[in-house]
């Protein structure tokens, strides 16, 4: 493959491999440092070998790839502050029970939860000792208090808590998600416990947040509705914290969420506008150099204001390289440009590799540059207007080829009417974006006419209405699609081989395409084979009991839910998707279950457990039965006692103490998660 002939692509691939190795194989910081130093030292020795040695180039190339892989491991470890002695986790008790005085700086405001406002904070001091590291701050919502500002320095007496692990199978692991952002603990508090300290030090993020706050304060004077302001913040300022779940879901279901994520589409349009707007500067002496410096500066200023998310950082890095190449009048190979931008970003932020937006933005661009020209050749419209919309359509479809496998894996849904919302919005996105920037500028200098603000609000509402209509066509939205890693890999192999075969059909590429088809069939067969298993699951559900028996791809569920809502419950949905369940059945709760020659006895609030003819292996306590657990253990002698989420906490505490005293395993689903028998 000719692509791999580009050195920067090889180096980027090796850097990615190194980061993946460090993620899945624990390697200490010191070992990664020693390995990198040795690899560079060997590389230098090979470099200075006389050129007459014909094997030099082979060994030099191989050693370069090894050195770059070791660099990936080092970069991964060096960016995680927990590997250093001054990380705050090394200054707190292992039990995390004792509250200690903590001084911290607000780094980022997250989307608030149902009960708490959430912030990413930098820990500056713990118990008077200088520290580093990031944590999640949860502040109980209080409508009378203002949200914290970026760069605010505060003090509180805090207890650091580890993130709770998912309590049910296939549940989203929020703790693991934050760990990939180097956030290892969380703190819960109230506004009344916070003490604001004076601080004169401000960061770029603080200045950017102040600029965004000033812009929103000015925009509030022009009667924009809350949903309009939320779209403006997402579309132009890259902030989606204030967007309602309804609007976010409608854009997601319509396949248009990328419109609200500041990424390559937005940055490309901004580069185009800057390139046109700054053209007069070229007439000055050294005007072209000044122009490219200004463009790069303004692009990165925009990236900082937009919060330096993975997508906007990737896009600004790539288009900065494009802007410089345009100035130097050198042909830019898009694959090289993508590889350079990815290489730079992963050196600075290696955890971007695991960011969903980062992954989707790159595969979307790769799909566009690889597949769009092939689709466009299928039809050459004579009318310019039709040709313009045909180009938009082919770009949209090509991008979907890139993102669909990952979208199915992460979001398990496919909006088949994605092209409708994209065709309705993308042709006018340049106008919407340009007008939005103009409106922000005029609002900041208090020169925005109200009729222009009203007109822009009408445009935003029209865009929301189009997206809402598309998202409501539920028959065209395929949800809860099961998709795993091997299927993602197989799909991309097939897309790549089909693309190469279509570009230049020959026997070798045809053979590779057929091999890819066999591989994708094998992936589906392997998935079906691995799904031919059975398990018995006692889920954790607050105030309810949920039991399921999985036999191959069928799930038999027992519960005390509402008869209509049980199948829509998120626990069941997640389990169905994660385990490729194709059929469900529901029944009322029973007193006795059997699974693989093992017996599960269920004791409910009545506390009845007459078992004269058999000995149960497991006992499930539900709905807080008033029983003497010692007497139950003596009469039944079960192997394990299980308590689900339907029991009172005081009862569970008493049962747990009894089991500890009797040296009998006790499983509480709230603490240990769902109980699974395989």
């Amino acid at each position: 493959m000719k692509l791999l002939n580009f050195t920067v692509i090889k180096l980027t691939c090796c850097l990615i491999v190194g980061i993946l190795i460090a993620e899945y194989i624990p390697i200490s910081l010191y070992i990664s440092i020693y390995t990198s130093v040795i690899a560079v030292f060997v590389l230098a020795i090979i470099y200075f070998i006389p050129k007459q040695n014909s094997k030099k180039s082979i060994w030099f190339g191989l050693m370069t790839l090894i050195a770059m892989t070791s660099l990936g491991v080092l970069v991964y470890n060096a960016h995680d502050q927990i590997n250093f002695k001054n990380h705050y986790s090394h200054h707190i008790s292992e039990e995390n029970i004792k509250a200690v005085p903590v001084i911290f700086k607000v780094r980022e405001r997250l989307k608030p939860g149902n009960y708490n406002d959430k912030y990413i904070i930098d820990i500056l001091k713990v118990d008077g000792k200088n520290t580093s590291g990031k944590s999640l701050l949860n502040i109980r919502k209080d409508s009378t208090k203002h949200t914290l500002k970026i760069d605010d320095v505060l003090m509180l007496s805090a207890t650091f808590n580890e993130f709770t692990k998912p309590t049910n199978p296939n549940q989203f692991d929020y703790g693991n998600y934050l760990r990939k952002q180097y956030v290892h603990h969380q703190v819960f508090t109230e506004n009344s416990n916070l003490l604001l300290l004076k601080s004169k030090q401000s960061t770029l993020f603080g200045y950017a947040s102040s600029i965004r706050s000033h812009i929103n304060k000015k925009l509030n004077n022009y009667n924009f509705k809350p949903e309009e302001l939320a779209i403006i913040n997402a579309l132009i300022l890259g902030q989606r914290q204030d967007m309602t779940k309804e609007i976010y879901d409608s854009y997601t279901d319509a396949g248009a969420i990328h419109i609200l994520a500041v990424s390559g589409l937005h940055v490309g349009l901004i580069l185009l506008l800057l390139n046109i707007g700054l053209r007069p500067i070229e007439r000055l002496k050294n005007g072209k150099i000044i122009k490219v410096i200004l463009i790069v500066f303004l692009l990165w200023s925009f990236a900082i204001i937009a919060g330096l998310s993975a997508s906007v950082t990737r896009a600004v890095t790539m288009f900065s390289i494009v802007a410089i190449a345009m100035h130097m009048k050198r042909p830019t190979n898009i694959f090289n440009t993508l590889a350079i931008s990815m290489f730079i970003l992963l050196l600075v932020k290696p955890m971007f590799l695991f960011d969903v937006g980062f992954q989707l933005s790159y595969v979307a661009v790769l799909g566009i540059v690889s597949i769009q020209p092939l689709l466009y050749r299928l039809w050459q419209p004579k009318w310019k207007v039709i040709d313009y919309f045909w180009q938009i359509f082919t770009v949209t479809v090509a991008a979907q080829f890139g993102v669909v496998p990952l979208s199915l894996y992460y979001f398990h849904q496919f909006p088949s009417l994605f092209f409708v919302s994209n065709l309705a919005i993308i042709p006018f996105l340049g106008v919407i974006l340009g007008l939005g920037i103009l409106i922000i500028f005029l609002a900041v200098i208090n020169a925005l006419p109200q009729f222009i603000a009203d007109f822009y609000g009408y445009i935003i509402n029209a865009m929301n209405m189009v997206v809402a209509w598309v998202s409501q066509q539920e028959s065209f939205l395929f949800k809860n699609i099961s998709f795993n890693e091997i299927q993602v890999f197989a799909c991309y192999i097939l897309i790549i081989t089909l693309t190469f075969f279509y570009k230049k059909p020959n026997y070798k590429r045809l053979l590779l395409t057929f091999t890819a088809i066999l591989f994708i069939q094998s992936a589906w067969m392997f998935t079906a084979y691995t799904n031919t298993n059975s398990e018995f699951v006692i889920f954790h559900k607050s105030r309810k009991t949920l039991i399921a028996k999985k036999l191959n791809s069928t799930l038999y569920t027992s519960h005390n839910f509402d008869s209509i809502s049980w199948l829509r419950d998120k626990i069941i949905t997640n389990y169905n998707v994660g385990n490729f369940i194709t059929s469900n059945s529901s029944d009322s709760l029973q007193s006795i279950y059997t699974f693989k020659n093992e017996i599960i006895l269920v004791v409910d609030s009545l506390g009845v457990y007459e078992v004269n003819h058999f000995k149960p292996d497991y006992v499930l306590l539900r709905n807080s039965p008033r029983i003497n657990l010692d007497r139950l253990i003596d009469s039944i002698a079960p192997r394990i006692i299980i308590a689900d989420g339907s029991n009172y906490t005081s009862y569970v505490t008493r049962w747990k103490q009894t089991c500890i005293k009797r040296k009998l395993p006790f499983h509480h689903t709230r603490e240990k998660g769902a109980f699974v028998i395989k």
Side-chain angles (χ1 to χ4, degrees):
M1 292 171 59
K2 291 183 179 180
L3 276 181
L4 294 180
N5 291 330
F6 292 109
T7 302
V8 68
I9 295 177
K10 294 179 184 177
L11 296 180
T12 304
C13 290
C14 289
L15 184 69
I16 291 171
V17 170
I19 294 171
L20 291 174
I21 290 173
E23 168 68 15
Y24 296 107
I25 303 175
I27 299 173
S28 71
L29 175 63
Y30 295 108
I31 291 177
S32 59
I33 292 173
Y34 297 147
T35 305
S36 298
V37 170
I38 292 170
V40 172
F41 181 71
V42 173
L43 188 64
I45 292 174
I46 296 174
Y47 178 78
F48 289 107
I49 291 176
K51 294 183 179 180
Q52 287 77 11
N53 191 332
S54 60
K55 294 184 179 179
K56 174 188 172 181
S57 59
I58 298 174
W59 288 109
F60 182 79
L62 180 62
M63 201 62 219
T64 301
L65 300 182
I66 293 173
M68 189 54 59
T69 303
S70 64
L71 178 63
V73 177
L74 176 60
V75 166
Y76 177 95
N77 287 320
H79 279 80
D80 194 349
Q81 293 174 322
I82 202 171
N83 292 319
F84 298 91
K85 291 182 180 179
N86 66 337
H87 190 267
Y88 70 86
S89 62
H90 304 304
H91 300 274
I92 59 178
S93 61
E94 294 182 1
E95 296 82 8
N96 293 329
I97 296 174
K98 182 182 177 183
V100 292
V102 176
I103 297 176
F104 63 89
K105 176 181 282 191
V106 179
R107 182 187 183 94
E108 180 184 356
R109 184 171 74 93
L110 303 180
K111 189 175 182 65
N114 293 329
Y115 307 104
N116 298 306
D117 292 319
K118 296 177 180 289
Y119 301 87
I120 299 295
I121 58 175
D122 286 323
I123 308 298
L124 304 180
K125 287 187 178 182
V126 172
D127 204 11
K129 299 175 184 177
N130 292 329
T131 58
S132 64
K134 295 192 292 185
S135 183
L136 175 67
L137 176 65
N138 299 274
I139 305 176
R140 185 175 292 277
K141 284 187 174 181
D142 186 350
S143 58
T144 63
K145 300 290 184 180
H146 295 292
T147 57
L148 302 183
K149 297 178 181 178
I150 307 301
D151 283 347
D152 278 352
V153 177
L154 301 102
M155 182 179 179
L156 82 160
S157 183
T159 301
F160 289 92
N161 302 292
E162 293 187 352
F163 293 100
T164 55
K165 295 181 179 179
T167 53
N168 290 301
N170 310 110
Q171 184 179 342
F172 176 67
D173 192 341
Y174 187 57
N176 185 55
Y177 166 76
L178 287 177
R179 183 187 65 80
K180 287 183 168 59
Q181 301 178 43
Y182 306 119
V183 179
H184 298 279
H185 295 86
Q186 61 180 333
V187 174
F188 292 90
T189 189
E190 297 180 359
N191 276 285
S192 58
N193 298 329
L194 296 172
L195 176 63
L196 183 64
L197 304 178
K198 291 183 179 180
S199 175
K200 296 181 180 179
Q201 295 182 349
S202 296
T203 63
L204 284 175
F205 295 101
Y207 287 123
S209 178
S210 299
I211 292 171
R212 290 195 298 268
S213 298
H214 182 68
I215 289 171
N216 277 284
K217 185 178 179 180
K218 292 293 184 179
L219 290 175
N220 281 327
N221 297 327
Y222 293 93
N223 301 323
F224 285 108
K225 298 176 183 177
E227 59 271 19
E228 294 170 356
L229 278 175
I231 295 296
I232 293 172
N233 273 277
L235 189 67
I236 302 170
L237 301 179
Q239 304 299 305
R240 294 189 288 187
Q241 295 95 330
D242 298 321
M243 188 181 300
T244 63
K245 187 177 184 300
E246 292 74 17
I247 294 178
Y248 183 85
D249 287 345
S250 66
Y251 274 84
T252 301
D253 293 344
I257 192 63
H258 61 281
I259 292 170
L260 300 183
V262 178
S263 58
L265 182 63
H266 303 70
V267 178
L269 288 169
I270 291 172
L271 174 61
L272 181 63
L273 293 172
L274 289 174
N275 194 44
I276 295 171
L278 298 177
R279 192 166 290 169
I281 295 178
E282 294 181 3
R283 300 174 185 174
L284 301 175
K285 184 180 180 181
N286 298 321
K288 290 185 178 180
I289 297 176
I290 297 172
K291 177 186 173 184
V292 74
I293 292 173
L294 271 175
I295 287 175
V296 172
F297 173 77
L298 291 172
L299 286 178
W300 280 103
S301 299
F302 172 75
I304 292 170
I305 293 173
L308 284 177
S309 66
S311 58
V312 70
T313 307
R314 187 272 310 168
V316 169
T317 303
M318 187 179 70
F319 281 107
S320 295
I321 297 168
V322 170
I324 294 170
M326 287 167 55
H327 163 68
M328 298 174 67
K329 294 184 179 180
R330 291 185 178 181
T332 54
N333 181 287
I334 188 62
F335 298 105
N336 247 350
T337 304
L338 285 171
I340 293 170
S341 65
M342 185 183 289
F343 184 85
I344 294 171
L345 289 177
L346 293 180
L347 280 178
V348 179
K349 294 277 188 179
M351 281 303 186
F352 271 175
L353 183 63
F354 307 101
D355 185 274
V356 179
F358 182 85
Q359 296 172 12
L360 290 174
S361 62
Y362 270 100
V363 294
V365 175
L366 286 171
I368 290 170
V369 300
S370 301
I371 300 174
Q372 192 272 340
L374 306 180
L375 296 176
Y376 181 71
R377 290 178 203 159
L378 296 175
W379 181 38
Q380 301 283 335
K382 295 181 180 179
W383 298 90
K384 287 187 177 181
V385 175
I386 298 176
D387 183 67
Y388 175 68
F389 281 95
W390 173 241
Q391 288 187 51
I392 298 290
F393 177 77
T394 54
V395 166
T396 303
V397 173
Q400 287 298 320
F401 271 107
V403 303
V404 160
L406 277 179
S407 295
L408 292 178
Y409 175 68
Y410 285 117
F411 309 117
H412 306 288
Q413 67 178 35
F414 176 68
S416 58
L417 290 181
F418 64 89
F419 61 91
V420 175
S421 53
N422 282 272
L423 281 174
I425 297 172
I426 290 181
F428 312 103
L429 188 60
V431 176
I432 296 172
L433 190 62
L435 185 57
I437 293 172
L438 177 63
I439 281 175
I440 287 175
F441 175 75
L442 293 176
V444 168
I445 62 174
N446 299 316
L448 176 63
Q450 184 61 48
F451 76 91
I452 295 180
D454 293 339
F455 176 68
Y456 193 66
Y458 173 79
I459 292 175
I460 297 295
N461 274 325
M463 184 170 72
N464 287 342
M465 288 174 61
V466 170
V467 170
W469 180 84
V470 175
S471 67
Q472 290 168 6
Q473 311 308 307
E474 294 187 0
S475 57
F476 294 94
L477 176 62
F478 302 99
K479 289 187 174 183
N480 303 327
I481 302 172
S482 299
F483 220 70
N484 59 21
E485 294 92 338
I486 190 171
Q487 290 174 328
V488 172
F489 184 68
C491 282
Y492 279 121
I493 292 295
L494 180 61
I495 291 170
I496 291 169
T497 53
L498 281 172
T499 303
F500 275 97
F501 176 72
Y502 187 83
K503 282 185 176 180
K504 187 179 178 181
N506 57 39
Y507 175 76
K508 183 179 179 181
R509 295 188 178 190
L510 179 63
L511 185 62
L512 287 173
T513 303
F514 279 128
T515 304
I517 293 172
L518 289 174
F519 180 60
I520 201 169
Q521 290 176 330
S522 301
W524 257 257
M525 291 172 64
F526 177 77
T527 300
Y529 172 75
T530 54
N531 194 45
T532 57
N533 64 334
S534 58
E535 62 182 26
F536 185 90
V537 185
I538 300 172
F539 294 97
H540 175 74
K541 179 71 175 178
S542 181
R543 302 180 183 179
K544 300 288 183 180
T545 295
L546 178 60
I547 300 172
K549 185 187 293 185
K550 176 185 179 296
L551 298 176
N552 297 331
S553 58
T554 302
L555 191 69
Y556 302 93
T557 309
S558 302
H559 59 86
N560 56 353
F561 292 10
D562 181 90
S563 59
I564 298 175
S565 64
W566 73 274
L567 192 56
R568 295 196 300 268
D569 188 87
K570 211 165 187 179
I571 296 174
I572 296 295
T573 301
N574 290 339
Y575 190 85
N576 285 342
V577 172
N579 292 275
F580 292 79
I581 300 298
T582 57
S583 61
N584 288 266
S585 66
S586 173
D587 199 357
S588 58
L589 290 164
Q590 308 297 320
S591 298
I592 298 171
Y593 293 91
T594 59
F595 180 75
K596 291 186 177 180
N597 299 322
E598 295 187 308
I599 300 174
I600 301 96
L601 172 67
V602 180
V603 181
D604 60 14
S605 57
L606 298 177
V608 178
Y609 54 91
E610 294 294 333
V611 287
N612 299 323
H613 304 292
F614 63 92
K615 291 288 184 181
D617 301 279
Y618 307 91
V619 172
L620 169 62
L621 305 176
R622 58 171 293 266
N623 271 16
S624 306
R626 296 182 177 180
I627 59 170
N628 186 315
L629 191 58
D630 279 310
R631 187 181 304 163
L632 182 147
I633 294 171
D634 290 334
S635 61
I636 297 177
R639 288 178 11 218
I640 298 177
I641 301 291
I642 307 158
D644 68 4
S646 64
N647 297 288
Y648 294 133
T649 303
S650 58
Y651 282 44
V652 173
T653 302
R654 188 169 68 247
W655 295 335
K656 184 178 181 180
Q657 291 172 349
T658 300
C659 288
I660 291 173
K661 185 171 64 175
R662 299 293 297 264
K663 296 182 180 180
L664 184 68
F666 180 78
H667 186 103
H668 183 207
T669 58
R670 185 186 299 277
E671 295 178 357
K672 298 183 178 180
F675 186 79
V676 182
I677 306 172
K678 294 186 178 181

